[in-house]
Every structure is written in C-alpha cells, then in structure tokens.
Amino acid sequence: MKNKVFRTFQEAVADIPDGSVIMLHSFSGPGGIAQNLIKALREQGAENLTLIGCNLGQISGVGMLEYQESSSGEIPGLRERIDAPGLYSLILGQSYTTPAVLIENGQVKKAITSWAGTSVVGIESPLEKAVKNGGIQLEIVPQGTLAERIRAGGAGLGGFYSPVGVDTVYQEGREKRNIQGRDYLLETPLKADFGFVRAYKADLLGNLIYRGSSRSFNPLIATAARTTIAEVDEIVNPGELDPEAVVTPGIFVNRIVRIEQGAMK
Amino acid sequence: MKNKVFRTFQEAVADIPDGSVIMLHSFSGPGGIAQNLIKALREQGAENLTLIGCNLGQISGVGMLEYQESSSGEIPGLRERIDAPGLYSLILGQSYTTPAVLIENGQVKKAITSWAGTSVVGIESPLEKAVKNGGIQLEIVPQGTLAERIRAGGAGLGGFYSPVGVDTVYQEGREKRNIQGRDYLLETPLKADFGFVRAYKADLLGNLIYRGSSRSFNPLIATAARTTIAEVDEIVNPGELDPEAVVTPGIFVNRIVRIEQGAMK
Amino acid sequence: MKTRLDTEVIAMRVAKEFQDGDCVNLGFGIGADAASYIPPDKTVIFHSEQGILGYGRILTEGEEALADFNLTHAGGKFVAPQPGMCFFNHADSFVMVRGGHLDVTVLGALQVSEQGDLANWSLDPAGRLGNIGGAMDMPVGIKKVIVAMEHTTRDNRIKIVKKCTLPLTCPRCVDLMVTDLAVIEVTAGGLVLKEFAPGWSPEEIQALTEPTLILADDLKEMEL
Amino acid sequence: MKTRLDTEVIAMRVAKEFQDGDCVNLGFGIGADAASYIPPDKTVIFHSEQGILGYGRILTEGEEALADFNLTHAGGKFVAPQPGMCFFNHADSFVMVRGGHLDVTVLGALQVSEQGDLANWSLDPAGRLGNIGGAMDMPVGIKKVIVAMEHTTRDNRIKIVKKCTLPLTCPRCVDLMVTDLAVIEVTAGGLVLKEFAPGWSPEEIQALTEPTLILADDLKEMEL
C-alpha cells in the first residue's frame, strides 16, 4: 500500500513550485479552511501563485484588526465588537488563517473567486487592495458557477452551459447560447496543480469524511487537483470509516497530514 | 410537515399520465431497481411512456426463460445454469422485475439507455425486439454520459461538453467542438416527469440512504425528476439518519412507500 | 420624519410568505432574520449554500456552549442542529439552487426595476470588483424571489426604479418586494402595491417610487 | 493445431501490468479475472462503474452465505466487502473515469488497429443497436488501456488490423494488447511485439496480425 501520510505540513507542501495553481477553500468562518497547509505554504514561499477559492477576500475579525492597523487604519467599532462578551465576538474574535495571508505575503499573481471582499462592509480586503494596486489579476465568478467549474475540472468535461449571469456584465467575454428557448453562458472547467483540503478523518487509503458545514468546496477541490493534500483531525485504518458515509473516495487524495492535538482547528 | 408517505405503490403511481417521461434504474442484478413501482405502473397501464435508465434491456435469468419461451424459443444451457446449485445460479436464478415488463406490456414508445440487450450474449431483450419491430424508438448513450446528462438535468444546466464518443458513430447528430486542443461533443440534459428510486431507508422528510452498489443512478434520478417516488425498506423519523451520511436530501423526494416485509427486495 | 418599519418587522412580514414545507434560502441581510418568525404550525426547511439543508434556529447570545464552527450558516452565524438536517458539497448545493429545487429566496437589493430586474452586487456601474457570491445563482434558479430592503437609500435616493443604473444581478427575476414602507408585487402589467406600512398613504409611497404603482384591489395596511 | 493460452493465463499476464496502488476498472470478460492474480505485495484498488471503489475478491462457489445483492460488481458477480471500500453514485463514478483518476482499464475487443483504435461495442458496421455501456467512457478517460482478447476470432479472422471495419469505440486509445498468443505494445512507430506465447514464433504471430509487427529489442517468451 502506498504511503500517503506526511509527518509535517512543511514536508507536504515542500515541492510546490513557483507559478502553481492552488485550489483551497474559504467561506464564512474558520470551518473547512486548510489553515495549516496555508501557513506552511506561506513559510515555504512559492511565488506567482494562482489561487482558486470561494471567498478569497475573507479574513478573520482579529485578522481584520491586524491588517487594518498595518495599512489603512482603524475600523470603527470592530475592536469593541470583538472584545464584547458573547456569541458574536466568538465568531468575529477568532484569529484564524485564511488564504489572504498568501496575498499579503506577495505570493499570488491571480485570484479566481466569488467574493473578493471581507465580510464586513467598508473594510477592504488584502485581495481588493492588491487588485487596486495592480498587483493581482482578479476573476470574479458566481459562487455556484465556481463550484460547478471545479467539479467539471475534476470530471474531465470541456465545459458546460449555465443560466447564471445571463444579461449581466458577467456575460462579457463569455459565449451566450440559446438552448431550447433559454439563454446560457459557456463556462470552462477549473483544475489545479495542488488542492488543499480540510477534512475531519482520513483513513490510510485517503478516504475522507468531513464535519457539517465545513464540507463545502473541499470534496470538489479533491477531484480537480493533480495533487490533493488533506489536513485532518484523525487518521484511521481502512475499514474504520463507514463505507456508505465516505464523502471523498481515497483515489482523489495524495497526501494526508494530521493536525496536532490542541492546534487551532 | 407535508406528508410524503403513501400507503401503497398503486396510490403512489396512480396519477402518472400517458406520455410521461419516467426515469428509473436498472443495472446488473436486482439491487437498486424500484421493482414494486415498476409492477404498480404495469398494473396502472399508462402508455406512450419514455423510459430513461442505464440498462433497459436487462431481464433476470428467470425472466429470460419466460420471455424466450413466449417468443423466440429456447436458450441453450440457460435452464441448466439456473437450476445448478451454487453462486452463479443465485444470481441468474433470481426472478426479479426490471423495466422490461413495461416494454413487454406495450407501454413504452421511447427508450434512452446505455445498454439495450440482456446480459447474456445471443439472448435478445424485449427492448431489442421492440426496436427491430419498429415499436420503440431507441437512443443509445454511453453510460457515464447518461449519468452526467441526468445530473445536468437536475442541476439546471443547458448542456455540457464531453470527450466521450468523439470520432465514433455516436458523434453523428451531435455538435463537435475543440476546446483548448481537445475535441468534445455537446450533450444535453435529461429530465423526467417521474423518477422511480430504490433506497434503503427514508426519513419522513424524504432524506434517503442506500446500500452498497445499489446506490448507482438512484440519487441522480431523484434530482432530475419533477416527482420522485422512492420505495424503501424502512421509514424512520427525522434525526434517525446520520446527517453526514444522507445521500439524497429530502428536498428531492416527493413520495415514499415502504416495501412490505417479506417482499422481494 | 414619519416612522418606517424596522428590519425586524420587515423580516416578520417576509416570513408570512413561506408556505408549509417550503425550502428557503435566506442569504444574509434583513431576510436572514425571517427564520426567527416561522409560525409553529409550519415546517420551513432552510438551505445554506455551503451545503446544509434543514438547519435549526440561529443561536443567540448566551448559547456559546452550543456554538460549533462546523455548523454555521452562509452568513457566518452559528446555527443549532435540527433532526432531519443533512450536509452536502457546494456543487450539490447549487444543483438545488440552479436546478429549481428551492421554493423561496430572500435577497437584499440596491435597485429593483419595474420589470423585476435586480441589482444587488456592485455599487460600481461598470461592475469591476464587487462581490457576486451566490447572488447571481439564487434568483436564476429559485422559484420565488423576495427582495427585503429599505424602500430608499439612507440618503433618500429612490431604489425602486424604471430601469436599473447599477450592474444587474439578474434580469426579470423579482417576484415580491417587502420594504420598510410597502409590499409590492412584480406583475406582467407593472408593480402592484399590495400593502402599505401603518401611517403611510399610497401617495406617499408612490412619491418614493419611480415607476407608477398599480393599486391592488385588496390594497390594505400591512398585517403581521 | 498449436495450443494457445487459455483465458486464465491471459488474465494472469494482464495482472502483471498492475502497479502497487493502481486503481483499476476491469469491466467484464477476460480482464475481470485478472483481479484474482494480484501478488500479495501489491495493493490494487478495483473500481466498479455503478459506484464502488476498493471492493474485495469475487465470491466463488460455496460462498452463497456471503452473497449480498447490494454488493455486486459491474459484471453482476457478488464481491466480498473489503476494509477501505466506499460507495458513490454513477455520475461520481464516471467523474473518476472521465476525469483521468483511474490508472488502468482492461477491456475486450472485436478489433484493434495499428494506431490503437478500439472497436468493441457493435458487430454491425453501421453501429445501429449495440450496447455501449461504459465501453466508450473507459478508454477516453483512464490512463492506461489494456486490451485482453483472443488474437483472432473463433473462425480465425484477424482482429489486429490496419484499420478497423467495425464501428469504433474510441480512436487511438489502446496502450497494450495481451492476447492468447502475444503481448503487443501500441507505440507511435507502430505495433511492437514484446512477448510471444510458449511454442509460438514471431513469424507465426505476424501471420495472424495484419499490420507489420516491430520486434522489441528485449522480445521474449511470455513469463508469468
């Protein structure tokens, strides 16, 4: 049996060359983000990367504070909301890692995403700032179309016709076609050199299960990346996952790294 | 909460009108076939149906014997293989219902399938016979393309480009297009008025789980039919299925019928 | 200045539109709060685009112990688990959306036109940058599109217009608008004023609306 | 007449092509039996198109008690469960196939051309009727395509031809042929005879093969 388990995140990302296309998930909140792989790639330093992910503008509340302090100054009220006791600050006050750290670190030349901003109106994201400075090329894609394009990449399709974005500015540069009385736009598949996946458990064959709303783009990324690296809470023996409940078949997973106990999950 | 549970198969198919498009699964062996719904539809008698399914030529070994006796005569060796003790006759000797009964009963005008024959070389299927007699219009589609066309129907796509069938007779009548150096054929989505699904358990919301290799086309059919009817071994309360292991979300299921204990499964 | 309805009341009025058994995507903004006003005799199943169907209520202050970072809705708030919920991936989630399997979506808007055109994703007329998210997918695929918004901008500019000047999210998609002043239906014949906020006259609402409003036969004060 | 290899030996020779960790779809026919000849030091993961990855061995007579109608492979035979197997739907199954995620497929053939064109789905030159099944999907998407077949038809007609006369399943897809007489590789330069069956000479094999065979530098008798 091929060994897919890597001991450290550093080793798992060591061979990612400059110019790679990386697919990775980020959506609202820390759930489902491969934070340790992102941090390892920041440390590794590969440049001229293309990132593909749902919300590449996303930064945590604490991240927003830090980022704003180092750039455009204070965010009215954010500090108070983070410091306040209760549920809202539990979300906003989390300090977690998002793909934005790669953008801030100057490693990214292109971003394909559905959301370039932060989740707080009026707070500019590192991605938006880099786009305005001309440092990053941005392609904005509707969220469901982005998910489907990644699936199409994994599925070996040449493209698909979607009704989303017809007769909006999004259709510029896209082929519009009427099929049986309805207009559609031609969408092309997305593939990646490396996919970063955050899962709950892996078995030694690479079969993965996820947790709740953290599943999201992760299983799609696994199918569309030439090399898929999964960070997981637990690695178990084949047979310990319910075969009816496996979400990502092991065939799609090349490398597995266990997240240290006690690390941010 | 809307009641989705029907007491009998007869009631569940009662309103299927002549001319309906029905999607239903059949592959090698009885697993995953909605046999009770098929039988109920045969009894109900709707005509001019279009069937969409993987192997619409399929009949069981016992079915082959019966069918051949009523038509083109004896099948050399089949009777012996069915009557022999052991594993092979366990498969071949099963008497189970396939979509072929609807074809034999003259209820079908068109079939879209990847496999029109039986699984035994030299034994003509009811579908092949009906096609030769001019009674049924046949569209043969590669198996993976058929699955993807059904998914596209459920997903609201206008079509997709597949590399399968390029430069074969299959491409006749299909648009060929070169995308980034590779040729693809344009494939259109498939939808149905009614979908027959065979699952293991349903909860009252219509969430479904399956068993092993019987999953197959069933979850796809559920997404692409306007009215999906599921026959299941057990109906449980919401919360009794593991939310991480639900395969078909209840939103895709309109009617549920429990298979009687002791009935052929 | 006269009192307008607050966002909570708008959310309550939106919630009245949900039918028993409806599957609903609320996005975020005012609509998200509609989840809190479902009458006990109705089952409404909520969809969140990252892959949840049937999640429970949104947790409120004091429920920190129940918070799970693997159970948040698209707006990033913690939700409670609920019997019968299930999870799926993001592509399957938009199979539901694009494929026409969801009954209702509630969206915010920057502008809505007389024809039901929706603009809600970019303040830049050229649509550079901007955050599309799921905004373009939802109105294309979901059966009924409800816009929940303030009737005018904070600096009192008109949002319900003859023709949108901001980049469209989706043409001809809005079915109903619930604002802090009115309930307005988009019909083939034009915008029909169905309900007005307490203390407001149809004429006053018309003055804050560019297209001519048709008064519904059963025009009435908004009830909750 | 000289002895040819039986189907079991062909299957054994095919099995030698599998590398440790390979994911393999065997279809049915001769290739299906290759699953029984995996050496114990190799892990080969088998894929069945209706949605199984990693199923166990095919059950044999006497194992009726283990037979489960929810655990059969694409050829309709009962298989044993195996730790690490998993299930998925038919579309996801062909995501694996078409998307290039499987390493090897073993197919039967009616004809194979000098260029590696494969014909295996219809005996009718016009391709009416016929059963495509997964035959067209597999060779398009799977990395290595092995044809396992008898070298000639039962009535001794040539199957390895300059140009197929039967309708194609997939052009230019075959990588290797394992027949009851020979192992032949399809290369850009032509068909390369790599191995011959015991008791057969390259000249005798050439006589039953239409295109000119290039003799491999390391041409040898087939070893198992």
Side-chain angles (χ1 to χ4, degrees):
Chain A
M1 192 165 72
K2 267 190 204 163
N3 175 38
K4 296 186 176 182
V5 179
F6 280 60
R7 214 175 40 85
T8 66
F9 294 100
Q10 285 70 25
E11 289 167 29
V13 304
D15 62 348
I16 297 183
D18 288 353
S20 296
V21 179
I22 316 271
M23 245 176 224
L24 72 191
H25 182 55
S26 68
F27 197 71
S28 51
I33 301 179
Q35 300 181 46
N36 296 285
L37 289 167
I38 293 170
K39 278 186 269 192
L41 183 59
R42 185 181 196 279
E43 201 177 294
Q44 190 256 31
E47 291 180 353
N48 287 316
L49 303 174
T50 295
L51 300 190
I52 302 174
C54 188
N55 291 11
L56 293 176
Q58 192 194 350
I59 36 178
S60 69
V62 170
M64 282 184 219
L65 278 182
E66 288 165 0
Y67 172 66
Q68 295 292 317
E69 275 158 19
S70 75
S71 56
S72 43
E74 165 213 18
I75 305 139
L78 184 61
R79 166 69 66 192
E80 291 68 31
R81 280 145 78 193
I82 287 175
D83 289 345
L87 207 59
Y88 190 58
S89 69
L90 189 61
I91 298 176
L92 209 57
Q94 282 292 328
S95 171
Y96 58 88
T97 304
T98 68
V101 301
L102 302 171
I103 295 167
E104 287 185 84
N105 201 34
Q107 294 175 261
V108 179
K109 69 166 182 202
K110 185 175 179 182
I112 303 176
T113 187
S114 83
W115 195 270
T118 66
S119 57
V120 176
V121 177
I123 301 185
E124 190 174 61
S125 74
L127 175 55
E128 287 171 317
K129 192 178 163 194
V131 171
K132 285 187 186 165
N133 292 345
I136 287 189
Q137 190 192 340
L138 176 68
E139 183 181 340
I140 294 271
V141 181
Q143 200 178 110
T145 301
L146 184 66
E148 192 68 17
R149 287 179 67 188
I150 294 172
R151 183 187 176 279
L157 301 176
F160 59 89
Y161 285 102
S162 166
V164 175
V166 167
D167 293 339
T168 73
V169 296
Y170 177 71
Q171 80 177 19
E172 280 165 30
R174 287 186 160 74
E175 173 191 310
K176 183 157 89 173
R177 178 169 182 161
N178 190 288
I179 301 173
Q180 299 187 325
R182 192 174 186 193
D183 286 331
Y184 297 89
L185 303 180
L186 178 61
E187 297 287 352
T188 51
L190 289 171
K191 295 173 97 161
D193 300 310
F194 293 88
F196 288 1
V197 162
R198 171 71 167 97
Y200 175 34
K201 289 185 185 181
D203 71 17
L204 291 170
L205 294 164
N207 292 308
L208 302 180
I209 60 167
Y210 301 85
R211 274 208 291 209
S213 51
S214 297
R215 186 184 301 190
S216 203
F217 271 76
N218 283 300
L220 305 169
I221 291 170
T223 69
R226 201 158 35 220
T227 301
T228 294
I229 315 174
E231 60 174 273
V232 301
D233 292 305
E234 261 185 71
I235 301 175
V236 301
N237 285 312
E240 290 186 47
L241 301 179
D242 174 3
E244 300 285 357
V246 167
V247 173
T248 294
I251 192 172
F252 295 119
V253 178
N254 305 91
R255 303 175 187 177
I256 311 163
V257 193
R258 195 175 69 90
I259 300 166
E260 238 180 287
Q261 301 291 327
M264 169 71 201
K265 283 179 182 174
Chain B
M1 193 164 72
K2 267 189 203 163
N3 176 38
K4 296 185 176 183
V5 179
F6 279 59
R7 216 174 39 85
T8 67
F9 294 100
Q10 286 70 24
E11 288 167 30
V13 303
D15 63 348
I16 298 182
D18 289 354
S20 295
V21 179
I22 316 271
M23 245 176 223
L24 71 192
H25 182 55
S26 68
F27 198 71
S28 51
I33 302 179
Q35 300 182 45
N36 296 286
L37 288 167
I38 293 170
K39 279 186 268 192
L41 183 58
R42 185 181 197 279
E43 202 178 292
Q44 190 257 31
E47 292 180 352
N48 287 315
L49 302 174
T50 296
L51 300 190
I52 302 174
C54 188
N55 290 11
L56 292 176
Q58 193 194 350
I59 37 179
S60 68
V62 169
M64 282 184 218
L65 278 182
E66 287 165 1
Y67 172 67
Q68 295 293 316
E69 274 158 21
S70 74
S71 55
S72 43
E74 167 213 17
I75 305 140
L78 184 61
R79 165 71 66 194
E80 291 68 30
R81 279 145 77 192
I82 287 175
D83 289 345
L87 206 60
Y88 190 57
S89 68
L90 188 61
I91 297 177
L92 208 57
Q94 282 292 329
S95 171
Y96 58 88
T97 304
T98 68
V101 302
L102 301 171
I103 295 167
E104 287 186 82
N105 201 33
Q107 294 175 260
V108 180
K109 69 167 182 201
K110 184 172 179 185
I112 303 177
T113 187
S114 83
W115 196 272
T118 66
S119 56
V120 176
V121 177
I123 301 185
E124 190 174 63
S125 73
L127 175 55
E128 287 173 317
K129 194 178 164 195
V131 171
K132 285 186 185 164
N133 292 345
I136 285 188
Q137 190 192 339
L138 176 69
E139 183 180 340
I140 294 273
V141 181
Q143 200 177 110
T145 301
L146 184 67
E148 192 67 18
R149 287 179 67 187
I150 293 171
R151 182 186 176 280
L157 300 175
F160 59 90
Y161 286 102
S162 166
V164 175
V166 167
D167 293 339
T168 74
V169 295
Y170 177 71
Q171 80 177 20
E172 280 165 30
R174 285 185 163 74
E175 173 191 308
K176 183 157 88 175
R177 179 168 182 160
N178 191 288
I179 301 173
Q180 299 186 326
R182 192 174 186 192
D183 286 330
Y184 296 89
L185 303 180
L186 178 61
E187 298 288 352
T188 51
L190 290 171
K191 294 173 99 162
D193 299 310
F194 293 88
F196 289 0
V197 162
R198 171 71 166 98
Y200 174 34
K201 288 185 187 180
D203 71 17
L204 291 170
L205 295 164
N207 291 308
L208 302 179
I209 61 168
Y210 302 86
R211 275 209 289 209
S213 51
S214 298
R215 187 184 303 190
S216 204
F217 270 76
N218 282 301
L220 305 169
I221 291 169
T223 69
R226 201 158 31 219
T227 301
T228 293
I229 315 174
E231 59 174 273
V232 301
D233 292 306
E234 260 185 71
I235 301 175
V236 300
N237 284 313
E240 291 187 46
L241 302 178
D242 174 3
E244 300 285 357
V246 166
V247 173
T248 294
I251 192 172
F252 295 119
V253 179
N254 305 92
R255 302 174 187 178
I256 311 163
V257 194
R258 195 174 69 90
I259 300 166
E260 238 181 285
Q261 301 291 327
M264 170 69 203
K265 283 178 182 177
Chain C
M1 219 173 100
K2 293 174 79 162
T3 316
R4 295 176 169 210
L5 303 179
D6 62 23
T7 56
E8 249 177 281
V9 177
I10 297 175
M12 285 171 73
R13 178 59 190 84
V14 165
K16 279 185 69 182
E17 294 294 315
F18 305 153
Q19 306 297 313
D20 188 39
D22 272 357
C23 290
V24 175
N25 182 295
L26 294 178
F28 44 90
I30 299 175
D33 296 327
S36 308
Y37 301 103
I38 309 301
D41 60 324
K42 280 187 195 164
T43 304
V44 174
I45 296 166
F46 292 107
H47 170 268
S48 184
E49 49 261 50
Q50 84 272 50
I52 325 176
L53 196 69
Y55 61 82
R57 69 199 162 68
I58 295 166
L59 299 188
T60 52
E61 295 297 334
E63 295 187 301
E64 287 75 13
L66 297 175
D68 177 354
F69 281 110
N70 300 302
L71 203 52
T72 59
H73 73 13
K77 290 191 177 169
F78 295 109
V79 296
Q82 181 164 282
M85 73 176 175
C86 62
F87 306 113
F88 34 87
N89 72 44
H90 224 106
D92 287 344
S93 180
F94 281 85
V95 164
M96 294 180 189
V97 171
R98 197 191 312 102
H101 305 284
L102 294 173
D103 298 295
V104 185
T105 183
V106 184
L107 299 166
L110 299 166
Q111 290 180 330
V112 177
S113 84
E114 193 166 11
Q115 292 77 36
D117 298 338
L118 171 68
N120 78 347
W121 74 282
S122 176
L123 279 165
D124 172 4
R128 295 177 295 259
L129 277 174
N131 297 312
I132 296 182
M136 283 189 181
D137 306 88
M138 302 296 167
V140 167
I142 299 180
K143 289 171 201 158
K144 181 169 183 171
V145 176
I146 300 176
V147 161
M149 65 174 185
E150 278 138 13
H151 204 94
T152 53
T153 65
R154 277 169 205 191
D155 50 355
N156 260 309
R157 274 178 298 161
I158 284 178
K159 292 172 75 174
I160 304 174
V161 294
K162 288 194 173 166
K163 196 170 171 344
C164 295
T165 53
L166 293 172
L168 290 193
T169 306
C170 182
R172 296 172 182 276
C173 66
V174 176
D175 295 294
L176 192 79
M177 285 175 264
V178 179
T179 77
D180 50 0
L181 297 184
V183 176
I184 296 171
E185 198 182 341
V186 183
T187 73
L191 299 183
V192 176
L193 180 66
K194 309 267 292 180
E195 299 174 26
F196 49 86
W200 287 78
S201 70
E203 294 70 29
E204 289 168 320
I205 294 166
Q206 178 65 72
L208 297 171
T209 310
E210 188 185 359
T212 304
L213 294 171
I214 300 161
L215 303 189
D217 291 344
D218 58 347
L219 175 65
K220 61 183 178 189
E221 190 174 290
M222 212 183 283
E223 283 166 25
L224 297 166
Chain D
M1 221 173 99
K2 293 174 78 161
T3 316
R4 296 176 167 209
L5 304 179
D6 62 23
T7 55
E8 249 176 283
V9 177
I10 297 175
M12 285 170 72
R13 177 59 191 82
V14 165
K16 279 185 68 180
E17 294 295 316
F18 305 153
Q19 306 297 312
D20 187 38
D22 272 357
C23 291
V24 175
N25 182 296
L26 294 178
F28 43 92
I30 298 174
D33 296 328
S36 308
Y37 302 103
I38 310 300
D41 60 325
K42 278 187 196 165
T43 304
V44 174
I45 296 166
F46 292 106
H47 170 267
S48 184
E49 49 261 51
Q50 84 272 51
I52 325 176
L53 196 69
Y55 61 82
R57 68 199 162 68
I58 295 164
L59 299 187
T60 52
E61 295 297 334
E63 296 186 301
E64 287 75 13
L66 297 176
D68 176 353
F69 281 110
N70 300 302
L71 204 52
T72 59
H73 73 14
K77 289 191 177 168
F78 295 109
V79 295
Q82 182 164 281
M85 73 177 175
C86 62
F87 305 113
F88 33 88
N89 72 45
H90 224 105
D92 287 344
S93 180
F94 282 85
V95 165
M96 295 181 188
V97 170
R98 196 192 311 103
H101 306 283
L102 293 172
D103 298 295
V104 185
T105 183
V106 184
L107 298 165
L110 298 167
Q111 290 180 331
V112 178
S113 84
E114 192 166 13
Q115 291 77 34
D117 299 336
L118 171 68
N120 77 347
W121 73 280
S122 177
L123 280 165
D124 172 4
R128 293 177 295 260
L129 275 175
N131 296 314
I132 297 182
M136 284 190 181
D137 306 89
M138 302 295 168
V140 168
I142 299 180
K143 289 171 200 157
K144 181 169 183 171
V145 176
I146 300 176
V147 161
M149 65 172 186
E150 278 137 12
H151 204 92
T152 53
T153 65
R154 276 167 206 195
D155 51 355
N156 260 309
R157 274 178 300 162
I158 284 178
K159 292 171 74 174
I160 304 174
V161 294
K162 288 193 174 168
K163 196 172 171 345
C164 295
T165 53
L166 293 172
L168 289 193
T169 306
C170 182
R172 296 173 180 276
C173 66
V174 177
D175 296 294
L176 193 79
M177 286 175 264
V178 179
T179 77
D180 51 359
L181 298 183
V183 177
I184 295 171
E185 198 182 339
V186 183
T187 74
L191 299 182
V192 176
L193 181 65
K194 308 268 291 181
E195 299 174 26
F196 49 85
W200 287 77
S201 71
E203 293 72 28
E204 289 168 320
I205 293 166
Q206 177 65 73
L208 297 172
T209 310
E210 188 185 358
T212 304
L213 294 171
I214 301 159
L215 303 188
D217 292 342
D218 58 347
L219 176 64
K220 60 183 178 187
E221 190 174 290
M222 213 182 283
E223 283 166 25
L224 297 167

